[in-house]
Amino acid sequence: MTTARSTFQPAKVSKTRYDGFAMLLHWVLAVAIIGAFGVGLYMTDLPISPTRLKLYNWHKWAGVTILAVSALRLLWRLTHRPPADLPMPAWQARAAHLVHGLLYLAFFAVPLSGWAYSSAAGFPVVWFGVLPLPNLVAPDKELAHTLKEAHELLAYGLAALVLAHLGAVVKHMVLDRDGLLQRMLPGRG
Ligand code: HEM
């Protein structure tokens, strides 16, 4: 019995890395958010056309998917302990936690504001053309205008947080050389 357990001991799994599911959620969301941001910027500059309509739909569907995956990710994060912080000055650890907290907030605020904007503008969202989603607010032109601005601002805020996050990773890899990125990559140990 003891030999069988020694090959698989979940309680003693090394805490130098995030677990596999946390990594999967991290990278899926990273790609989806960067994609939704790029499509968002591109589509708004297009003239009215079938392509523009198609991209708006894909943007909305991807955004709602990001919202759902973010909810799963938050749940996972709250129920699974991450690896301990690497040694670093206290202010850097505080800054990292602040940026991570704000990123989680933005994962919800950006898609929710987009969804609310669509509702206010009178365009209910039908997820992948199959699942009609409820309107978050009643159609209202003035509110739609405010929500559109809010969605843009929040999306730029999210982009700024992602840049700060990436800047910190580069700093850890190039200056500190402390293996920070490996914590979010599959591997041994
Ligand atoms: C993380 C998810 C999302 C990101 C990163 C994102 C990002 C963006 C960006 C960068 C823009 C362009 C802003 C500009 O004009 O400069 C945009 C526009 C837009 N987004 Fe999103 N978005 C997300 C989710 C959503 C969702 C869930 C919906 C609706 C269900 C949505 C609906 C829209 C609409 C309708 C516009 C066009 C606004 C206009 O006509 O100017 N977005 N988004």
Side-chain angles (χ1 to χ4, degrees):
M1 287 304 277
T2 41
T3 44
R5 276 192 64 80
S6 64
T7 53
F8 181 67
Q9 296 179 330
K12 290 185 183 170
V13 160
S14 158
K15 279 288 173 195
T16 56
R17 286 184 148 83
Y18 285 84
D19 63 78
F21 193 56
M23 287 182 196
L24 180 73
L25 291 175
H26 175 276
W27 292 112
V28 165
L29 268 183
V31 170
I33 286 173
I34 291 168
F37 186 82
V39 171
L41 285 185
Y42 177 70
M43 70 188 192
T44 43
D45 281 341
L46 291 177
I48 303 284
S49 63
T51 305
R52 180 180 153 110
L53 191 67
K54 200 166 75 184
L55 289 180
Y56 264 63
N57 276 330
W58 275 101
H59 177 80
K60 293 178 187 188
W61 300 338
V64 171
T65 310
I66 288 167
L67 183 63
V69 177
S70 296
L72 180 62
R73 184 176 185 188
L74 180 61
L75 201 71
W76 192 262
R77 175 66 178 76
L78 294 175
T79 51
H80 295 77
R81 205 182 320 168
D85 285 342
L86 287 174
M88 66 178 92
W91 71 267
Q92 281 183 21
R94 274 201 301 275
H97 293 157
L98 178 69
V99 170
H100 295 161
L102 291 174
L103 276 166
Y104 271 99
L105 267 182
F107 294 160
F108 291 92
V110 175
L112 280 173
S113 59
W115 182 354
Y117 163 59
S118 255
S119 307
F123 297 107
V125 183
V126 183
W127 199 32
F128 290 99
V130 178
L131 182 69
L133 300 180
N135 280 331
L136 291 185
V137 295
D140 176 333
K141 237 181 157 188
E142 234 171 81
L143 180 62
H145 179 73
T146 309
L147 286 169
K148 180 172 145 179
E149 306 263 291
H151 183 58
E152 288 175 16
L153 265 176
L154 287 165
Y156 291 130
L158 172 57
L161 287 168
V162 169
L163 286 180
H165 182 68
L166 286 178
V169 173
V170 170
K171 183 233 177 224
H172 278 275
M173 297 314 291
V174 176
L175 297 182
D176 304 334
R177 293 171 188 266
D178 55 8
L180 178 100
L181 185 58
Q182 272 69 40
R183 289 153 61 89
M184 205 37 109
L185 293 175
R188 288 167 171 277

